[in-house]
Amino acid sequence: IMLSFLGIISVIAYLNYWLLIPTFLLAIVFVYFRRFYLATARDIKRLEGITRSPVFTHLSATLQGLTTIRAFKAQQAFISDFDQYQDVHSSAWFLFLCTTRWFGICLDWISCLYIAIVTYSFLGMTDTLGGDIGLAISSAMMLSGMFQWGVRQSAEVENQMTSVERVIEFSKLKPEPPLTTEKDEELKEGWPNSGSVEFVDVSLQYDVNQPPVLKKLTFTIKSGEKIGIVGRTGAGKSSLISCLFRLTEPSGRILIDGVDVRQLGLHTLRKKLSIIPQDPTLFSGTFRKNLDPFSEHQDDELWHALEEVQLKEAVQETGAGLEHILSEGGSNLSVGQKQLLCLARAILSHNPILLMDEATANVDPKTDEMIQRTIREKFVSCTVLTVAHRLHTIVDSDRVMVMSRGHLREFDSPHTLLQDPNSIFSELVSQTGASTAAHLRKLALAAHNRHGLLLQQQDSQQKQHEKDAEPRPLQLSIPNTKNFTPLQVSRTDENSQDVLCQKDDHLQKIGNSTINVVSDPLDKSSFSVEEEKSFKVDEEVVAAASNKSLSSPSVIVSNSESISDQSSSSSSTQKIVDQEESISAATILERSRTCSNDHIHNNDETQEIEYDTRF
Ligand SMILES: Nc1ncnc2c1ncn2[C@@H]1O[C@H](COP(=O)(O)OP(=O)(O)OP(=O)(O)O)[C@@H](O)[C@H]1O
Ligand SMILES: [Mg+2]
């Protein structure tokens, strides 16, 4: 282009160098007009771009909600909305076309003027060849055409740059926090394993110009607790759930199992939480892809999860099974089915925290009950946060969180909250009507009693567990004798293998345990062996004992609690070795170890085992 441009200029200059003056004037006028035109056209183009977006948005929203629009016979309203959006866009587009045409006409007129100047410049020149004049005029026409084309294209480029401008604007938006961080590597394997959640002064603001929607929330949820979240529309319930996923970055600290979630990468955090949203978004793809997006599970696991949520039959009926294709947003599934799919996904992910944002608001009572039952069974040890407007969904929770305008107003067990007639929760329950309120109160009371019993049970189980974990002292009892030699006594339990035996007339320890003879066997009919911090043997007692001759060869090893009645216990003892039979120390040790194991595993406090220790 540049070469042909220079060629044309040279030809004109060669034929009539005076023509260079209007040529340069032409260039200057074109540049001036271009600048003048662009000042307006750029803004009009921007306006056209802005008014075009609502047309597309309205069109896609209408297509998505076509059934609803038809159901409400709102076609006309949507058509007039569409016309309105289109009118606004058309007016902007029309303005743009007008400016472009005006610019084109102006360029054409200027070009015509230039060609006229070139043509008439040859009028007085008699010695010029007609061919040269023709060449000059055609070159001038080409030149003006090139100028026009160049100016129009450069103006068009600048207009189209408004689109780039918008893209740059988007690219300047604050990016999301990192998807992975160094803290992820430091996390313990299996985090979060208990699922406790702690909010410390958590506030959330969607827009810096708007007031916060969550205001300094501070609370703790213990692992495994079932929490109901209630409150009026706009109270901040969904915002609280989105806080945990860091969809919008909150201020304050959110700790899950003691780890501040703000230090974690978004991928790590979001993978560890399961959610059943009110309006689940599914991907267009297969059932399998939606159930197991990262391909981490076997087919039978997927089928099992579908069976758990009673979706197996529905999936089988499609014919293609797990390969059945879901359309955009899962629109070929009902809302309830989509939620069940999310539930199956949650079951598969085995996360200890489950969040449900009005998960059962759109399903029939039977499916709701089924979902609740599945959650109770499958997520029994998980921490479950349930946002619900239907109070019966959360009235049997461990605790209920009542939100109001971003504040946490009440947080206690439903029954306790209902005891106070002035509580917001009581008010919400009362608003459901007399009979429903009475039913809800009954459910809350039943849940309260159940939890009380459960807590008692857990408490006693815990105590029992602690008791079992304690090393139980074993007792050696000598049936009514003062003369014996504690030659070999063995003890084996789950924690250690302790063997106490006599060697060279001394008690010695074999194994890891420390055992101490605590009472004098010569004065009592029984003495006990207990675990102590250090291994101590009353050597005097042992020495004295070993000098005596053994009149009764039996030594009974048992749990100390069981030897309350020596005479009765000796009658129930199990004779292992005949009294007259002499056996080697190794045999006794081996047998006693086996018997002690039996004793511990049976954990039967009345069982006692008798050993022959005769030498
Ligand atoms: N994406 C958002 N951008 C800006 N403001 C928002 C956004 N989402 C929610 N809000 C505002 O935050 C406040 C709390 O909304 P939120 O959705 O948490 O309420 P909610 O308790 O879940 O209500 P509902 O019971 O109707 O679901 C509302 O005032 C709402 O206008
Ligand atoms: Mg909500």
Side-chain angles (χ1 to χ4, degrees):
I1 290 174
M2 211 52 206
L3 281 176
S4 52
F5 178 75
L6 285 175
I8 292 167
I9 298 271
S10 315
V11 168
I12 289 173
Y14 171 72
L15 293 170
N16 184 357
Y17 52 83
W18 288 109
L19 284 179
L20 287 179
I21 298 170
T23 307
F24 283 115
L25 277 177
L26 177 78
I28 291 166
V29 170
F30 270 8
V31 169
Y32 170 75
F33 263 81
R34 178 185 174 275
R35 196 174 290 170
F36 184 74
Y37 159 74
L38 275 179
T40 317
R42 207 183 295 130
D43 283 344
I44 293 177
K45 182 71 185 166
R46 200 171 287 138
L47 206 64
E48 190 269 328
I50 293 166
T51 53
R52 193 168 24 164
S53 311
V55 180
F56 290 127
T57 313
H58 182 78
L59 198 67
S60 64
T62 309
L63 287 176
Q64 269 184 10
L66 215 52
T67 38
T68 317
I69 294 166
R70 285 195 182 127
F72 284 93
K73 294 198 176 8
Q75 291 97 322
Q76 202 47 52
F78 272 76
I79 289 170
S80 47
D81 278 356
F82 182 70
D83 288 347
Q84 204 181 333
Y85 289 131
Q86 218 178 15
D87 283 351
V88 175
H89 174 249
S90 300
S91 51
W93 180 244
F94 183 70
L95 271 181
F96 179 69
L97 287 183
C98 287
T99 48
T100 318
R101 288 284 160 262
W102 174 86
F103 183 54
I105 287 171
C106 284
L107 293 185
D108 283 349
W109 275 110
I110 295 164
S111 301
C112 285
L113 190 69
Y114 173 68
I115 291 164
I117 291 170
V118 170
T119 312
Y120 284 102
S121 68
F122 289 104
L123 269 182
M125 297 182 180
T126 47
D127 55 337
T128 316
L129 290 170
D132 288 351
I133 296 169
L135 180 65
I137 293 172
S138 63
S139 299
M141 285 171 72
M142 276 173 68
L143 189 68
S144 64
M146 279 179 72
F147 267 144
Q148 271 199 34
W149 185 81
V151 169
R152 278 183 200 216
Q153 289 305 311
S154 67
E156 185 63 20
V157 166
E158 210 149 311
N159 281 334
Q160 298 296 346
M161 279 297 166
T162 52
S163 309
V164 178
E165 209 174 78
R166 295 182 78 194
V167 172
I168 290 172
E169 248 173 61
F170 284 120
S171 72
K172 280 184 188 159
L173 289 177
K174 203 176 154 207
E176 268 204 323
L179 301 179
T180 50
T181 62
E182 282 173 13
K183 179 82 183 168
D184 300 351
E185 319 269 302
E186 294 166 22
L187 277 183
K188 280 192 204 137
E189 185 72 19
W191 176 91
N193 43 25
S194 80
S196 65
V197 180
E198 191 179 349
F199 274 51
V200 184
D201 276 342
V202 175
S203 298
L204 181 79
Q205 204 169 9
Y206 284 109
D207 191 333
V208 280
N209 302 317
Q210 299 289 322
V213 294
L214 293 181
K215 294 158 193 162
K216 296 211 171 281
L217 298 187
T218 300
F219 58 84
T220 306
I221 297 171
K222 285 179 257 162
S223 61
E225 263 194 308
K226 309 287 175 280
I227 305 290
I229 306 175
V230 293
R232 298 198 185 286
T233 293
K237 305 180 294 291
S238 303
S239 306
L240 192 138
I241 298 284
S242 68
C243 249
L244 278 163
F245 283 90
R246 287 170 63 204
L247 297 181
T248 310
E249 201 65 44
S251 65
R253 294 196 322 140
I254 300 176
L255 306 168
I256 295 181
D257 276 3
V259 177
D260 190 347
V261 296
R262 292 219 301 171
Q263 293 173 359
L264 301 177
L266 292 181
H267 271 176
T268 316
L269 170 68
R270 292 175 184 172
K271 257 189 180 179
K272 299 291 179 181
L273 304 173
S274 298
I275 184 164
I276 308 176
Q278 185 176 7
D279 188 12
T281 304
L282 300 181
F283 313 111
S284 42
T286 58
F287 253 115
R288 183 198 301 281
K289 202 78 197 150
N290 275 283
L291 257 181
D292 181 20
F294 304 107
S295 308
E296 290 169 336
H297 302 279
Q298 303 289 329
D299 272 18
D300 52 340
E301 287 178 83
L302 302 185
W303 281 114
H304 186 65
L306 286 173
E307 196 174 3
E308 302 265 20
V309 299
Q310 297 182 14
L311 257 188
K312 189 177 176 181
E313 278 176 25
V315 177
Q316 277 170 339
E317 275 167 18
T318 59
L322 291 171
E323 299 307 324
H324 179 67
I325 303 281
L326 298 179
S327 47
E328 180 73 33
S331 55
N332 49 349
L333 288 185
S334 74
V335 179
Q337 283 175 323
K338 283 196 252 179
Q339 287 175 324
L340 292 178
L341 195 74
C342 285
L343 185 59
R345 199 155 58 190
I347 290 174
L348 281 169
S349 62
H350 297 297
N351 286 329
I353 299 179
L354 173 68
L355 307 159
M356 299 196 294
D357 192 356
E358 311 210 7
T360 53
N362 291 326
V363 297
D364 62 278
K366 205 173 152 216
T367 314
D368 183 5
E369 197 197 315
M370 198 273 291
I371 291 179
Q372 299 302 336
R373 199 176 52 242
T374 310
I375 287 163
R376 269 196 287 274
E377 285 168 7
K378 289 282 146 199
F379 298 90
V380 68
S381 57
C382 298
T383 308
V384 183
L385 273 71
T386 312
V387 174
H389 279 297
R390 286 190 195 171
L391 293 180
H392 72 263
T393 312
I394 50 91
V395 81
D396 62 345
S397 308
D398 294 337
R399 285 193 289 169
V400 167
M401 202 180 265
V402 183
M403 303 279 303
S404 170
R405 294 186 185 166
H407 290 283
L408 176 60
R409 294 289 183 207
E410 291 165 5
F411 192 25
D412 214 327
S413 79
H415 179 69
T416 314
L417 291 176
L418 287 173
Q419 294 307 296
D420 178 6
N422 298 321
S423 70
I424 306 175
F425 190 59
S426 285
E427 207 179 299
L428 287 172
V429 168
S430 304
Q431 281 167 6
T432 57
S435 64
T436 316
H439 181 60
L440 287 172
R441 283 172 191 279
K442 220 186 271 177
L443 286 176
L445 180 65
H448 178 76
N449 292 338
R450 211 170 42 241
H451 291 155
L453 272 177
L454 207 69
L455 280 179
Q456 267 180 13
Q457 249 175 28
Q458 278 173 353
D459 202 34
S460 59
Q461 268 173 8
Q462 176 72 18
K463 276 185 186 153
Q464 185 62 40
H465 187 70
E466 280 167 13
K467 208 170 147 192
D468 289 348
E470 274 175 18
R472 280 168 301 157
L474 295 187
Q475 194 168 53
L476 309 182
S477 79
I478 320 297
N480 226 7
T481 176
K482 287 192 174 179
N483 302 315
F484 85 109
T485 306
L487 279 175
Q488 293 192 347
V489 181
S490 75
R491 178 196 160 193
T492 308
D493 68 21
E494 288 156 324
N495 304 321
S496 59
Q497 287 201 332
D498 310 322
V499 179
L500 190 67
C501 74
Q502 183 192 14
K503 202 172 176 189
D504 302 332
D505 289 349
H506 289 286
L507 281 180
Q508 287 194 348
K509 184 186 78 165
I510 301 173
N512 302 323
S513 167
T514 53
I515 296 175
N516 185 23
V517 177
V518 292
S519 60
D520 184 349
L522 300 175
D523 298 338
K524 295 182 183 174
S525 61
S526 72
F527 68 93
S528 62
V529 179
E530 286 178 350
E531 287 199 352
E532 290 268 338
K533 282 192 179 153
S534 62
F535 177 59
K536 287 197 290 178
V537 174
D538 188 338
E539 290 193 6
E540 270 183 34
V541 171
V542 174
S546 57
N547 288 336
K548 310 279 175 184
S549 64
L550 192 69
S551 61
S552 166
S554 298
V555 174
I556 299 163
V557 180
S558 83
N559 188 310
S560 60
E561 289 164 34
S562 66
I563 310 179
S564 49
D565 179 359
Q566 189 59 53
S567 54
S568 66
S569 59
S570 27
S571 63
S572 64
T573 54
Q574 177 189 344
K575 196 95 175 170
I576 293 175
V577 185
D578 185 74
Q579 285 192 7
E580 300 301 316
E581 191 184 344
S582 169
I583 56 171
S584 73
T587 316
I588 295 171
L589 273 176
E590 188 52 43
R591 288 187 182 182
S592 59
R593 209 171 273 163
T594 318
C595 294
S596 297
N597 267 336
D598 288 349
H599 171 72
I600 298 294
H601 289 155
N602 289 338
N603 201 18
D604 184 352
E605 297 190 348
T606 58
Q607 185 182 355
E608 293 178 358
I609 301 161
E610 186 180 298
Y611 299 99
D612 187 329
T613 54
R614 192 184 126 182
F615 279 75

PDB file of all heavy atoms in Angstrom, residues 529-547:
ATOM      1  N   VAL A 529      -1.084 -56.965  92.138  1.00  0.00           N
ATOM      2  CA  VAL A 529       0.033 -56.478  91.336  1.00  0.00           C
ATOM      3  C   VAL A 529      -0.496 -55.310  90.513  1.00  0.00           C
ATOM      4  O   VAL A 529      -1.464 -55.445  89.796  1.00  0.00           O
ATOM      5  CB  VAL A 529       0.521 -57.589  90.387  1.00  0.00           C
ATOM      6  CG1 VAL A 529       1.675 -57.074  89.536  1.00  0.00           C
ATOM      7  CG2 VAL A 529       0.939 -58.802  91.172  1.00  0.00           C
ATOM      8  N   GLU A 530       0.098 -54.172  90.701  1.00  0.00           N
ATOM      9  CA  GLU A 530      -0.411 -53.001  90.000  1.00  0.00           C
ATOM     10  C   GLU A 530       0.686 -52.367  89.165  1.00  0.00           C
ATOM     11  O   GLU A 530       1.861 -52.501  89.479  1.00  0.00           O
ATOM     12  CB  GLU A 530      -0.910 -51.955  90.998  1.00  0.00           C
ATOM     13  CG  GLU A 530      -2.218 -52.338  91.620  1.00  0.00           C
ATOM     14  CD  GLU A 530      -2.663 -51.305  92.637  1.00  0.00           C
ATOM     15  OE1 GLU A 530      -1.858 -50.433  92.969  1.00  0.00           O
ATOM     16  OE2 GLU A 530      -3.811 -51.410  93.086  1.00  0.00           O
ATOM     17  N   GLU A 531       0.258 -51.649  88.210  1.00  0.00           N
ATOM     18  CA  GLU A 531       1.255 -50.940  87.399  1.00  0.00           C
ATOM     19  C   GLU A 531       1.673 -49.686  88.144  1.00  0.00           C
ATOM     20  O   GLU A 531       0.847 -48.980  88.694  1.00  0.00           O
ATOM     21  CB  GLU A 531       0.653 -50.581  86.057  1.00  0.00           C
ATOM     22  CG  GLU A 531       0.515 -51.799  85.194  1.00  0.00           C
ATOM     23  CD  GLU A 531       0.355 -51.443  83.733  1.00  0.00           C
ATOM     24  OE1 GLU A 531       0.195 -50.258  83.410  1.00  0.00           O
ATOM     25  OE2 GLU A 531       0.406 -52.365  82.940  1.00  0.00           O
ATOM     26  N   GLU A 532       2.935 -49.451  88.154  1.00  0.00           N
ATOM     27  CA  GLU A 532       3.465 -48.258  88.802  1.00  0.00           C
ATOM     28  C   GLU A 532       4.385 -47.560  87.820  1.00  0.00           C
ATOM     29  O   GLU A 532       4.694 -48.085  86.752  1.00  0.00           O
ATOM     30  CB  GLU A 532       4.267 -48.657  90.031  1.00  0.00           C
ATOM     31  CG  GLU A 532       3.414 -49.189  91.179  1.00  0.00           C
ATOM     32  CD  GLU A 532       3.003 -48.108  92.151  1.00  0.00           C
ATOM     33  OE1 GLU A 532       3.673 -47.062  92.200  1.00  0.00           O
ATOM     34  OE2 GLU A 532       2.017 -48.316  92.836  1.00  0.00           O
ATOM     35  N   LYS A 533       4.811 -46.393  88.243  1.00  0.00           N
ATOM     36  CA  LYS A 533       5.704 -45.677  87.339  1.00  0.00           C
ATOM     37  C   LYS A 533       7.061 -46.362  87.235  1.00  0.00           C
ATOM     38  O   LYS A 533       7.711 -46.343  86.216  1.00  0.00           O
ATOM     39  CB  LYS A 533       5.877 -44.245  87.812  1.00  0.00           C
ATOM     40  CG  LYS A 533       4.672 -43.415  87.428  1.00  0.00           C
ATOM     41  CD  LYS A 533       4.910 -41.981  87.612  1.00  0.00           C
ATOM     42  CE  LYS A 533       3.631 -41.247  87.157  1.00  0.00           C
ATOM     43  NZ  LYS A 533       3.461 -40.009  87.801  1.00  0.00           N
ATOM     44  N   SER A 534       7.482 -46.932  88.326  1.00  0.00           N
ATOM     45  CA  SER A 534       8.790 -47.592  88.275  1.00  0.00           C
ATOM     46  C   SER A 534       8.620 -49.032  88.730  1.00  0.00           C
ATOM     47  O   SER A 534       7.672 -49.375  89.423  1.00  0.00           O
ATOM     48  CB  SER A 534       9.755 -46.864  89.196  1.00  0.00           C
ATOM     49  OG  SER A 534       9.264 -46.952  90.511  1.00  0.00           O
ATOM     50  N   PHE A 535       9.525 -49.831  88.308  1.00  0.00           N
ATOM     51  CA  PHE A 535       9.461 -51.232  88.690  1.00  0.00           C
ATOM     52  C   PHE A 535      10.075 -51.402  90.063  1.00  0.00           C
ATOM     53  O   PHE A 535      11.258 -51.157  90.271  1.00  0.00           O
ATOM     54  CB  PHE A 535      10.206 -52.072  87.640  1.00  0.00           C
ATOM     55  CG  PHE A 535      10.269 -53.521  87.976  1.00  0.00           C
ATOM     56  CD1 PHE A 535       9.117 -54.266  88.146  1.00  0.00           C
ATOM     57  CD2 PHE A 535      11.503 -54.141  88.141  1.00  0.00           C
ATOM     58  CE1 PHE A 535       9.177 -55.581  88.459  1.00  0.00           C
ATOM     59  CE2 PHE A 535      11.564 -55.477  88.454  1.00  0.00           C
ATOM     60  CZ  PHE A 535      10.403 -56.215  88.623  1.00  0.00           C
ATOM     61  N   LYS A 536       9.235 -51.761  91.002  1.00  0.00           N
ATOM     62  CA  LYS A 536       9.741 -51.937  92.381  1.00  0.00           C
ATOM     63  C   LYS A 536       9.274 -53.296  92.876  1.00  0.00           C
ATOM     64  O   LYS A 536       8.115 -53.661  92.695  1.00  0.00           O
ATOM     65  CB  LYS A 536       9.151 -50.868  93.310  1.00  0.00           C
ATOM     66  CG  LYS A 536       9.750 -49.496  93.077  1.00  0.00           C
ATOM     67  CD  LYS A 536       9.460 -48.607  94.245  1.00  0.00           C
ATOM     68  CE  LYS A 536       7.970 -48.288  94.268  1.00  0.00           C
ATOM     69  NZ  LYS A 536       7.614 -47.452  95.415  1.00  0.00           N
ATOM     70  N   VAL A 537      10.143 -53.999  93.445  1.00  0.00           N
ATOM     71  CA  VAL A 537       9.745 -55.287  94.015  1.00  0.00           C
ATOM     72  C   VAL A 537      10.162 -55.291  95.482  1.00  0.00           C
ATOM     73  O   VAL A 537      11.287 -54.921  95.818  1.00  0.00           O
ATOM     74  CB  VAL A 537      10.422 -56.453  93.271  1.00  0.00           C
ATOM     75  CG1 VAL A 537      10.126 -57.760  93.957  1.00  0.00           C
ATOM     76  CG2 VAL A 537       9.963 -56.489  91.843  1.00  0.00           C
ATOM     77  N   ASP A 538       9.195 -55.622  96.265  1.00  0.00           N
ATOM     78  CA  ASP A 538       9.511 -55.708  97.691  1.00  0.00           C
ATOM     79  C   ASP A 538      10.330 -56.984  97.886  1.00  0.00           C
ATOM     80  O   ASP A 538       9.799 -58.071  97.973  1.00  0.00           O
ATOM     81  CB  ASP A 538       8.209 -55.752  98.490  1.00  0.00           C
ATOM     82  CG  ASP A 538       8.472 -55.647  99.971  1.00  0.00           C
ATOM     83  OD1 ASP A 538       9.595 -55.952 100.416  1.00  0.00           O
ATOM     84  OD2 ASP A 538       7.546 -55.229 100.665  1.00  0.00           O
ATOM     85  N   GLU A 539      11.609 -56.790  97.885  1.00  0.00           N
ATOM     86  CA  GLU A 539      12.487 -57.974  97.876  1.00  0.00           C
ATOM     87  C   GLU A 539      12.378 -58.794  99.154  1.00  0.00           C
ATOM     88  O   GLU A 539      12.529 -59.995  99.150  1.00  0.00           O
ATOM     89  CB  GLU A 539      13.925 -57.539  97.628  1.00  0.00           C
ATOM     90  CG  GLU A 539      14.085 -57.060  96.198  1.00  0.00           C
ATOM     91  CD  GLU A 539      15.527 -56.911  95.777  1.00  0.00           C
ATOM     92  OE1 GLU A 539      16.407 -57.283  96.549  1.00  0.00           O
ATOM     93  OE2 GLU A 539      15.740 -56.428  94.662  1.00  0.00           O
ATOM     94  N   GLU A 540      12.110 -58.081 100.214  1.00  0.00           N
ATOM     95  CA  GLU A 540      11.966 -58.794 101.493  1.00  0.00           C
ATOM     96  C   GLU A 540      10.805 -59.760 101.420  1.00  0.00           C
ATOM     97  O   GLU A 540      10.905 -60.914 101.827  1.00  0.00           O
ATOM     98  CB  GLU A 540      11.704 -57.801 102.616  1.00  0.00           C
ATOM     99  CG  GLU A 540      12.975 -57.315 103.249  1.00  0.00           C
ATOM    100  CD  GLU A 540      12.669 -56.381 104.419  1.00  0.00           C
ATOM    101  OE1 GLU A 540      11.646 -56.615 105.090  1.00  0.00           O
ATOM    102  OE2 GLU A 540      13.434 -55.430 104.611  1.00  0.00           O
ATOM    103  N   VAL A 541       9.702 -59.231 100.879  1.00  0.00           N
ATOM    104  CA  VAL A 541       8.494 -60.052 100.768  1.00  0.00           C
ATOM    105  C   VAL A 541       8.766 -61.254  99.884  1.00  0.00           C
ATOM    106  O   VAL A 541       8.441 -62.385 100.210  1.00  0.00           O
ATOM    107  CB  VAL A 541       7.322 -59.217 100.197  1.00  0.00           C
ATOM    108  CG1 VAL A 541       6.142 -60.098  99.869  1.00  0.00           C
ATOM    109  CG2 VAL A 541       6.945 -58.132 101.164  1.00  0.00           C
ATOM    110  N   VAL A 542       9.430 -60.972  98.790  1.00  0.00           N
ATOM    111  CA  VAL A 542       9.713 -62.049  97.839  1.00  0.00           C
ATOM    112  C   VAL A 542      10.651 -63.077  98.462  1.00  0.00           C
ATOM    113  O   VAL A 542      10.459 -64.275  98.351  1.00  0.00           O
ATOM    114  CB  VAL A 542      10.324 -61.476  96.544  1.00  0.00           C
ATOM    115  CG1 VAL A 542      10.746 -62.589  95.624  1.00  0.00           C
ATOM    116  CG2 VAL A 542       9.317 -60.570  95.882  1.00  0.00           C
ATOM    117  N   ALA A 543      11.663 -62.524  99.129  1.00  0.00           N
ATOM    118  CA  ALA A 543      12.637 -63.426  99.761  1.00  0.00           C
ATOM    119  C   ALA A 543      11.944 -64.293 100.800  1.00  0.00           C
ATOM    120  O   ALA A 543      12.149 -65.518 100.846  1.00  0.00           O
ATOM    121  CB  ALA A 543      13.745 -62.615 100.392  1.00  0.00           C
ATOM    122  N   ALA A 544      11.077 -63.632 101.577  1.00  0.00           N
ATOM    123  CA  ALA A 544      10.359 -64.377 102.615  1.00  0.00           C
ATOM    124  C   ALA A 544       9.459 -65.426 101.973  1.00  0.00           C
ATOM    125  O   ALA A 544       9.408 -66.575 102.423  1.00  0.00           O
ATOM    126  CB  ALA A 544       9.533 -63.421 103.449  1.00  0.00           C
ATOM    127  N   ALA A 545       8.805 -65.011 100.935  1.00  0.00           N
ATOM    128  CA  ALA A 545       7.872 -65.905 100.268  1.00  0.00           C
ATOM    129  C   ALA A 545       8.600 -67.083  99.639  1.00  0.00           C
ATOM    130  O   ALA A 545       8.153 -68.223  99.696  1.00  0.00           O
ATOM    131  CB  ALA A 545       7.091 -65.158  99.204  1.00  0.00           C
ATOM    132  N   SER A 546       9.750 -66.799  99.078  1.00  0.00           N
ATOM    133  CA  SER A 546      10.441 -67.873  98.377  1.00  0.00           C
ATOM    134  C   SER A 546      11.072 -68.883  99.316  1.00  0.00           C
ATOM    135  O   SER A 546      11.401 -69.996  98.919  1.00  0.00           O
ATOM    136  CB  SER A 546      11.493 -67.285  97.441  1.00  0.00           C
ATOM    137  OG  SER A 546      12.368 -66.494  98.199  1.00  0.00           O
ATOM    138  N   ASN A 547      11.267 -68.495 100.588  1.00  0.00           N
ATOM    139  CA  ASN A 547      11.826 -69.432 101.560  1.00  0.00           C
ATOM    140  C   ASN A 547      10.794 -70.401 102.096  1.00  0.00           C
ATOM    141  O   ASN A 547      11.126 -71.386 102.723  1.00  0.00           O
ATOM    142  CB  ASN A 547      12.448 -68.660 102.714  1.00  0.00           C
ATOM    143  CG  ASN A 547      13.736 -67.984 102.264  1.00  0.00           C
ATOM    144  OD1 ASN A 547      14.340 -68.457 101.294  1.00  0.00           O
ATOM    145  ND2 ASN A 547      14.115 -66.914 102.920  1.00  0.00           N
TER     146      ASN A 547
END
